[in-house]
Amino acid sequence: FFFFKQKTAYEISLGLVGSEMCIRDRKKGEINELKGLLQKFPFEKDIQKQRETIKKVIAYMTLGIDVSRLFADMVKASKTPDLIIKKMIYLYLVNYSENNQECAILAINTFLTDCKSTDYKIKALALRTLSSLRFNGVVPYIQQALSEGLKDPDPYVKKTAILGCVKLFKQSPSIVKDGDYVENLYKSLKDTDAQVVINSIIALNEILEDEGGIAITRKLIIFLLNRLKEFNEWGQSIIIGLLPKYEPRTEAEMIDILNILEDRLSGASVSVLLSVTKVFMKYTKDNSVINKQIMERLQAPLITLMNAGETGGNFEITYVVLQHIRLIVSRYSPRPGSTAGLSLFQNDYKHFFCKIEEPTYIRDIKIEVLGFIANEANMQDIITELSEYVIDVNADLAKKALSCISNIAIRVPPMAKTIMQTLLKFFKFSTEYLSSQCIIACAVVLKKYPQFIDEIIPYAQDIHSLIVNTEAKVALIWVLGEFGEHIPLAPYILEYYAVNSPNEPGSLDVFYSLLTAVPKLFFKRPGECQNILGSLLKHLIMNSDNCDLKSRAIMYYNLLKTDVELAKEIILGKEKGAPVELFYEDEENENKEKVAKEFNTFSVIYEDPQEKFLKKDLVQKIFQEELASDTRAAKLQEEKDKEKPKAATLVDVPSSTGPSVPVPPPTDIPTGNAGASLQKASSPVSKDLLELEIGEYQSPDLYAIKIIQLMDNPEVDPGNYQEMWGSITKAETVNLNLKKIPSTLQDVEALVLAKKIISLALGEESGVMKFYLYAKSSQTKAEFLIELQILKAAKQLQAVIKATNDGEMPAFKAMLTDAFSTLVQPTFDTNNLTLILHKYN
């Protein structure tokens, strides 16, 4: 056996240090070797060897090895006619010049020297690199180079200088606007080179963005349109994109412009075609005759480009074209129940049938388009095709097809009965996703054609056990509430959902629907629904954690208590069973108008205006050019003023989360039996009506309470915190009874942190959890100091709040209370619950 002495940690570290030193020495040796090669660089005749030397320098720089001591040698090596070597050396010079003033001077001198080169490629490369530099003192050198570049006779250098003006503008806007750059850019619009003209347009739009972009004149438009064929597809799109900002003086001038652009419809560029389409739609919107001719003329090019994308496997292009077609047909197709509109793509409906190789996102849009272009002539073929999708193995495709079938029933009233019979056939498959989507589709049709309820009754009573989708449950509950007098088992199905929904996903939406449906059915079948309504209201008021849902239940309670006949009139409405004439989705609204104005932009893809997905300041810049030429500028300004932050009101509070101020429940609620849980109705039909014998309940004045925004992770020094606590004499208190005690200190900390309230100190002693909390308003900079205690034995929460701004105190108290809303015990006596029945005729 051999025994080896184990090395100590000290000996190992010495070995590592030695190893590192060897590596460093080796690298230093290689850098010295590179320095030697660079010094011989002017004498090396082999271009490949020169490139390999520079590549090694760039490789070391990329790996993070300091090669700055080669700077002078790299500057000397830059005097080479080889463009590839120039690019690599420029990369090196830019990297080391931004943090080293001496290196920067050498680099700038190198770029300025190359800007005077006789080779236009080297000159443009130097100009592009110089204008990209970003450090103090470089602007005067960039100005000098750009001024010479804008006057250069070579178009390649000139277009590079134009883009350099934009880079200089981003770095120093005032210099560009106060100088003669804008004037020179306007002069460049007359250049004989097409790329120089396009770059000038882009540069002017960037620099004059706050003024609405380039100034559009009749002379400029005529000049650019006459040269349109000289530009490539990208340039044509830029020029055609200027036309929506120009208003033709006469109808003859408008027709001349349209005739010039019509030739562009035969091209293969999606961008050009969509740009032309936007101009056509804008110029002819007030002339229905020309508009109809134009839109019919656009059908063939759009379908050609859509099919070309599919044939070539470019489904992204197909998707873009389809989204714009969807927007066109949604705007120009006849509204449901109306004949006014254009019959676009109705003879080409087979082009929108789905193919097996198409991805899902293409199929979805095609099915949507089919819903818009269906009419009495083509509907039978479309419904047959959609029925094939319904029984497809792809569940998402089946759902989309069923939704489309119901939409066609709304849009084509003469065929509604045939479509309803088609929908009912799919119930026979008895599958969860088909049954769920079928009842959703049937609910949509019933809103328009309530006379079809008799055909749905047999299925509505049998499918509730198959439905697992929340949206389908909501649809079925709506049907039972609206037409429950015709459905024998309606009260018992509603009771089934009320009893079994609390622990299921999506129960909140189900209870919202139940709270609407059960009171409606109560007035139609009071005896069977008496216990269900009482138990439902009791459950929601006592156990619901959602403040909005609880408030609605209390509203129904007070309404029934105040005036039964008035409650009936409000809940059922004066016109019983009145069909929906026009759905919200089919109405014209401001959102759709904005998307239509932003045709050929991402707004069409996202189906939302730019203000919804772009930053606010960027949106303002984008719309600035519209405001400059739009005759409705005053109206748009009023809309912008309305969007300013205001005090929170009831309409500001989203129903999904409820108001931020907790609503206390009444002292008495209706119920058929004692206990908080829902009980099954077993009483026979009765002529009695629920009335709720409680005192008047006053809701808090939400209009008087503002919603504040708190800072994320506010910082405060413990000493300053203690000093502020002692200096602020006025304090508010919060006392809450808890139905559940948090398990750990961290659980409480997580609850307040969700409201952006941080914990400075926490601890637990003798069954008392204690916290010192801090928050700061991001609007008024008001600071809030909180001492919070949770008494485990008494199940109580006590908080003392001090604030540097008393005006913010009510809103902050509401926010702190809401943080513990899931733990709060209702403050009413369940022993005095009473149910008083009054005769209802």
Side-chain angles (χ1 to χ4, degrees), residues 45 51 56 59 131 177-178 181 236 245 264 287 330 370 374-375 429 444 450 506 545 617 678 731 741 763 832:
K45 303 301 181 183
R51 290 179 180 177
K56 288 182 180 179
S131 59
K177 287 196 170 185
D178 296 340
Y181 296 98
Q236 291 178 17
K245 295 193 292 183
R264 301 297 97 198
N287 191 322
S330 67
L370 286 173
N375 59 12
F429 288 94
V444 172
D545 291 333
D617 56 345
L678 292 167
I741 299 296
N832 295 324

Side-chain angles (χ1 to χ4, degrees), residues 2 210 256 258 301 481 503 554 558 626 632 634 743 745 755 804:
F2 296 93
D210 56 345
D256 288 340
L258 298 182
N503 298 322
I554 294 171
N558 285 332
E626 289 187 11
R632 298 183 303 164
S743 303
L745 296 169
K755 299 293 184 181
T804 57

Side-chain angles (χ1 to χ4, degrees), residues 574-633:
K574 292 183 179 180
E575 298 182 13
K576 299 178 67 174
V580 176
E581 295 297 331
L582 188 65
F583 288 89
Y584 174 79
E585 292 81 3
D586 297 318
E587 293 181 353
E588 286 294 329
N589 55 49
E590 186 180 2
N591 198 64
K592 291 182 179 179
E593 285 295 326
K594 288 181 179 179
V595 173
K597 282 186 176 183
E598 295 163 14
F599 194 87
N600 195 24
T601 67
F602 275 114
S603 299
V604 180
I605 305 300
Y606 295 147
E607 302 179 33
D608 269 322
Q610 292 171 341
E611 61 191 28
K612 296 289 184 67
F613 56 87
L614 291 181
K615 292 182 179 179
K616 201 166 188 178
D617 56 345
L618 184 57
V619 172
Q620 290 173 351
K621 289 182 180 179
I622 291 173
F623 281 106
Q624 192 67 37
E625 56 187 61
E626 289 187 11
L627 293 175
S629 59
D630 199 336
T631 56
R632 298 183 303 164

Side-chain angles (χ1 to χ4, degrees), residues 161-180:
I162 291 170
L163 295 181
C165 292
V166 178
K167 296 177 183 178
L168 180 60
F169 174 75
K170 298 295 184 183
Q171 189 171 358
S172 183
S174 58
I175 290 178
V176 175
K177 287 196 170 185
D178 296 340
D180 59 353

Side-chain angles (χ1 to χ4, degrees), residues 471-489:
E471 186 181 359
K473 290 179 182 179
V474 170
L476 179 58
I477 291 170
W478 177 85
V479 172
L480 297 174
E482 289 290 327
F483 306 99
E485 67 272 26
H486 304 296
I487 304 173
L489 298 180

Side-chain angles (χ1 to χ4, degrees), residues 52-124:
E52 289 300 324
T53 301
I54 303 299
K55 280 182 183 179
K56 288 182 180 179
V57 177
I58 299 300
Y60 282 147
M61 183 184 74
T62 306
L63 292 171
I65 298 172
D66 185 13
V67 288
S68 58
R69 57 197 182 104
L70 301 177
F71 197 91
D73 299 301
M74 291 289 280
V75 169
K76 293 178 184 177
S78 66
K79 297 176 182 179
T80 174
D82 187 73
L83 197 61
I84 296 175
I85 295 177
K86 282 272 188 188
K87 288 182 178 180
M88 291 191 288
I89 293 176
Y90 282 1
L91 176 63
Y92 172 90
L93 296 180
V94 170
N95 184 67
Y96 283 105
S97 61
E98 293 186 354
N99 298 319
N100 190 315
Q101 193 69 26
E102 295 180 0
C103 294
I105 295 173
L106 287 174
I108 290 171
N109 288 334
T110 302
F111 297 143
L112 290 175
T113 301
D114 286 344
C115 283
K116 298 177 182 179
S117 172
T118 55
D119 188 334
Y120 73 94
K121 290 183 179 179
I122 293 177
K123 188 185 297 186

Side-chain angles (χ1 to χ4, degrees), residues 468-740:
V468 294
N469 180 282
T470 300
E471 186 181 359
K473 290 179 182 179
V474 170
L476 179 58
I477 291 170
W478 177 85
V479 172
L480 297 174
E482 289 290 327
F483 306 99
E485 67 272 26
H486 304 296
I487 304 173
L489 298 180
Y492 309 102
I493 298 174
L494 290 177
E495 184 181 34
Y496 168 82
Y497 282 123
V499 172
N500 293 282
S501 293
N503 298 322
E504 295 181 1
S507 61
L508 188 62
D509 292 332
V510 173
F511 274 116
Y512 271 118
S513 302
L514 285 170
L515 193 54
T516 303
V518 173
K520 282 188 175 183
L521 192 56
F522 172 78
F523 284 105
K524 301 171 184 178
R525 300 167 69 171
E528 295 168 278
C529 296
Q530 170 185 305
N531 289 350
I532 302 173
L533 178 59
S535 298
L536 177 66
L537 292 178
K538 177 179 179 179
H539 173 77
L540 294 180
I541 294 174
M542 291 184 64
N543 298 331
S544 177
D545 291 333
N546 185 277
C547 297
D548 179 63
L549 192 59
K550 183 180 295 187
S551 298
R552 293 191 187 198
I554 294 171
M555 183 273 292
Y556 276 105
Y557 168 78
N558 285 332
L559 184 61
L560 289 167
K561 178 181 182 298
T562 303
D563 190 328
V564 174
E565 290 300 327
L566 178 62
K568 179 182 177 181
E569 183 179 336
I570 292 174
I571 293 173
L572 293 183
K574 292 183 179 180
E575 298 182 13
K576 299 178 67 174
V580 176
E581 295 297 331
L582 188 65
F583 288 89
Y584 174 79
E585 292 81 3
D586 297 318
E587 293 181 353
E588 286 294 329
N589 55 49
E590 186 180 2
N591 198 64
K592 291 182 179 179
E593 285 295 326
K594 288 181 179 179
V595 173
K597 282 186 176 183
E598 295 163 14
F599 194 87
N600 195 24
T601 67
F602 275 114
S603 299
V604 180
I605 305 300
Y606 295 147
E607 302 179 33
D608 269 322
Q610 292 171 341
E611 61 191 28
K612 296 289 184 67
F613 56 87
L614 291 181
K615 292 182 179 179
K616 201 166 188 178
D617 56 345
L618 184 57
V619 172
Q620 290 173 351
K621 289 182 180 179
I622 291 173
F623 281 106
Q624 192 67 37
E625 56 187 61
E626 289 187 11
L627 293 175
S629 59
D630 199 336
T631 56
R632 298 183 303 164
K635 182 179 178 180
L636 292 176
Q637 186 62 42
E638 291 176 2
E639 294 175 359
K640 189 187 295 183
D641 294 339
K642 291 178 182 178
E643 294 175 0
K644 292 180 179 178
K646 58 184 180 179
T649 66
L650 281 173
V651 297
D652 294 324
V653 182
S655 62
S656 60
T657 57
S660 60
V661 181
V663 181
T667 58
D668 194 5
I669 58 173
T671 179
N673 298 288
S677 61
L678 292 167
Q679 304 295 329
K680 292 190 176 181
S682 58
S683 60
V685 177
S686 170
K687 293 184 179 180
D688 292 333
L689 173 69
L690 288 173
E691 181 167 346
L692 315 171
E693 194 76 357
I694 65 169
E696 291 299 322
Y697 169 70
Q698 299 293 331
S699 298
D701 187 4
L702 295 179
Y703 293 91
I705 300 177
K706 297 181 179 179
I707 295 177
I708 61 172
Q709 300 291 333
L710 298 181
M711 293 175 58
D712 291 314
N713 301 318
E715 297 182 358
V716 62
D717 182 75
N720 293 339
Y721 184 94
Q722 189 172 0
E723 184 178 345
M724 282 192 293
W725 183 270
S727 61
I728 301 174
T729 57
K730 187 175 180 180
E732 297 275 356
T733 60
V734 172
N735 296 292
L736 301 174
N737 294 322
L738 304 180
K739 63 181 179 182
K740 183 171 63 175

Side-chain angles (χ1 to χ4, degrees), residues 220-231:
L220 174 64
I221 292 297
I222 293 174
F223 172 75
L224 293 175
L225 288 177
N226 287 334
R227 294 186 58 187
L228 190 61
K229 294 183 180 180
E230 300 177 20
F231 299 95

